[in-house]
Amino acid sequence: MKLQALIATIALAITSAAHAAGDKHDHAHEHKPLHGGVVVEVKDMDFELVANATAVKLYLRDHGKPADVSKASAKVTLLAGTEKQEVELKPAGDRLEATGSFKVGPGTKAVAVVTIAGKPATARFTLR
């Protein structure tokens, strides 16, 4: 009976240590969409994708504050059913953006490869 209690205590200690080690940064900011899109976090940055039939926009936030995208670029691959579309996004004020005709809707998958300050980051989204 004592052995089971000891094993349970060790398992709890390991789980707690693993949880604490996995929490790499301050979660004082929320990862909520500010522009009506879908948000994912990659490398301590929030990427918010807003896509409709005429525009694809990508907003970047670093710890809750807008990131400078003036020298950034992105390539977004949209996957809607069997359709695949690649889109180049360019700086447009506070976001990266492309306009045109896009097949997007609920369930569309998107993969964005973003280059900021010469460093690439990949963000994956599922549109709602």
Side-chain angles (χ1 to χ4, degrees), residues 21 27-28 30-31 47 52 60 62 68 73 85 96 110 127:
H27 282 280
E30 298 213 22
H31 306 288
F47 292 71
N52 59 44
L60 284 70
D62 187 0
D68 179 10
S73 64
Q85 186 174 15
L96 297 168
L127 301 180

Side-chain angles (χ1 to χ4, degrees), residues 28-99:
H29 66 284
E30 298 213 22
H31 306 288
K32 291 187 178 181
L34 300 180
H35 306 281
V38 178
V39 176
V40 298
E41 183 184 21
V42 178
K43 297 184 180 179
D44 291 341
M45 289 191 70
D46 287 345
F47 292 71
E48 181 178 355
L49 183 68
V50 179
N52 59 44
T54 60
V56 176
K57 302 173 187 177
L58 186 63
Y59 296 87
L60 284 70
R61 293 189 302 273
D62 187 0
H63 291 90
K65 297 180 178 140
D68 179 10
V69 296
S70 62
K71 296 179 184 173
S73 64
K75 181 178 180 181
V76 175
T77 302
L78 300 169
L79 303 166
T82 60
E83 307 245 359
K84 177 180 175 181
Q85 186 174 15
E86 293 185 350
V87 182
E88 294 287 333
L89 304 183
K90 301 291 181 192
D94 64 344
R95 66 193 172 275
L96 297 168
E97 181 175 9
T99 57

